[in-house]
Amino acid sequence: MSEDRLRIAIQKSGRLSDGSLDLLKKCGLTISRGRDKLYGRVQEMPIDVLLLRDDDIPEFVADDACDIGVVGQNVFNEDGLADVHESPAEEVMSLGFAQCRLMLAAPKDWDFDGASMLEGKRIATSYPGLTKKWLESQGVKARVVMMKGSVEVAPRLKIADAVCDIVSTGATLDANGLKPVATVFDSQALLIKNPKPFSPAKQEIYNALMKRVRGVMSSRDAKYIMMNAPRDAIAAITEYLPGAEAPTVLELAGSPGKVAIHAVCRESVFWDTLEALKKLGASAILVLPIEKMMA
Ligand code: PRP
Ligand code: ZN
């Protein structure tokens, strides 16, 4: 492996692909893809991108084929439970996209009233490790039937009584006559890293990239908010702004009792926040997106 280029593994196509590419783009990176579309080269930094099946990403990152990767927490934890790597990849941080849940689902006509109903049943899943762990935690003995894909058809084919599968919109379950009955695992995109120390050159690229990733993460929900307000409402308004540091207070020419307040809110600003600010006397409220942030 090249010592002076950082290799990132991302999903080729699926739940994580758009979010992963979007994150790299927001970090200011443009990727030129090779003809096979499995390999991309970043223009702005010495970084290569490998486009893989999500299930292969923990393996590639643990086994030195890649330095870092973006993968579902579900796939990463399932891989960890399989206990096949001498030194597994390390978790760096959750990335806040590709949220989904691993859920127990049963035929719609089941009158589900708790995990004990699964005793002695057959459950089809592509996540045997997470499913068994959950069943154990519920004190239920059931048979886990491993399937690589199309898990949702198992009950109809009488291969299993219930399934344990990934749900995001719920459309797949619904189309197959199934309903979610219990959450086994909450998942989202996760950044992982090879467990071995990088060479100094690679560590430098990694640090530079991480600085940008953290910048993207912290500006994701952040907003710049501006308003006019009575001078005596400054304290009350500051307290109301979600995740804001000390705001900037400016004089308003010609209105001695009023000021302009500018602040960065680190959390989402919702309509009810604006309504509450209005009640505190604020007017001309503006909420602007923040593109980049670096502490
Ligand atoms: C999961 C699951 C369903 C689909 C559910 O597959 O197996 O096919 O997502 O999504 P929905 O609730 O929005 O209908 P996944 O994308 O994880 O596929 P993969 O196993 O091939 O990676
Ligand atoms: Zn997959």
Side-chain angles (χ1 to χ4, degrees):
M1 185 170 31
S2 157
E3 270 312 302
D4 46 8
R5 293 183 72 83
L6 188 82
R7 275 199 176 193
I8 308 181
I10 63 171
Q11 188 183 27
K12 186 170 186 277
S13 80
R15 196 192 320 286
L16 293 134
S17 312
D18 288 349
S20 306
L21 288 170
D22 187 52
L23 175 65
L24 296 178
K25 194 172 156 201
K26 289 205 175 107
C27 288
L29 308 181
T30 8
I31 304 162
S32 59
R33 281 208 215 173
R35 215 176 303 156
D36 58 3
K37 304 243 166 82
L38 292 178
Y39 173 83
R41 216 176 154 84
V42 168
Q43 304 300 300
E44 298 80 1
M45 286 170 101
I47 295 175
D48 292 333
V49 180
L50 253 76
L51 295 116
L52 305 171
R53 286 195 40 189
D54 61 345
D55 313 62
D56 292 332
I57 293 176
E59 171 93 31
F60 269 63
V61 176
D63 300 347
D64 294 349
C66 292
D67 300 302
I68 63 174
V70 176
V71 70
Q73 182 90 50
N74 55 320
V75 169
F76 181 73
N77 284 38
E78 180 67 29
D79 181 79
L81 289 168
D83 202 19
V84 287
H85 311 293
E86 217 168 282
S87 44
E90 286 168 7
E91 295 186 34
V92 180
M93 65 167 110
S94 294
L95 296 170
F97 62 88
Q99 277 100 347
C100 62
R101 292 200 262 181
L102 180 63
M103 296 192 85
L104 215 288
K108 282 179 185 161
D109 57 12
W110 270 33
D111 222 349
F112 192 85
D113 63 357
S116 61
M117 263 193 92
L118 298 164
E119 188 72 34
K121 296 278 196 299
R122 296 162 305 163
I123 302 167
T125 186
S126 306
Y127 297 87
L130 289 170
T131 304
K132 283 179 189 157
K133 196 173 159 191
W134 182 79
L135 287 168
E136 245 164 60
S137 77
Q138 303 292 310
V140 173
K141 285 205 171 63
R143 236 181 75 203
V144 172
V145 181
M146 169 65 182
M147 284 177 74
K148 280 265 177 188
S150 308
V151 169
E152 62 277 1
V153 302
R156 237 187 309 144
L157 298 177
K158 311 272 181 245
I159 301 167
D161 305 295
V163 304
C164 189
D165 200 11
I166 296 298
V167 180
S168 57
T169 62
T172 305
L173 288 186
D174 194 55
N176 287 279
L178 302 170
K179 61 177 178 190
V181 294
T183 299
V184 170
F185 190 80
D186 272 299
S187 182
Q188 60 169 293
L190 175 72
L191 188 77
I192 57 173
K193 149 182 196 305
N194 187 283
K196 296 191 202 92
F198 294 144
S199 67
K202 211 173 252 184
Q203 185 66 40
E204 207 171 296
I205 308 166
Y206 174 79
N207 292 348
L209 177 64
M210 281 317 170
K211 206 176 205 176
R212 292 191 185 188
V213 170
R214 278 191 292 271
V216 171
M217 294 298 294
S218 58
S219 68
R220 184 160 284 175
D221 291 324
K223 294 280 181 282
Y224 194 77
I225 185 164
M226 310 195 283
M227 75 201 83
N228 294 341
R231 190 178 287 278
D232 56 17
I234 297 173
I237 285 176
T238 305
E239 205 163 310
Y240 215 87
L241 294 172
E245 281 156 22
T248 307
V249 176
L250 304 161
E251 297 297 329
L252 275 179
S255 332
K258 286 182 106 183
V259 289
I261 300 177
H262 292 192
V264 171
C265 294
R266 293 195 177 259
E267 295 152 35
S268 305
V269 178
F270 296 107
W271 284 107
D272 48 2
T273 306
L274 302 193
E275 274 148 23
L277 292 172
K278 257 197 116 58
K279 279 200 188 116
L280 293 170
S283 59
I285 309 172
L286 272 181
V287 180
L288 308 171
I290 294 175
E291 198 183 273
K292 291 184 179 68
M293 227 151 90
M294 195 173 277

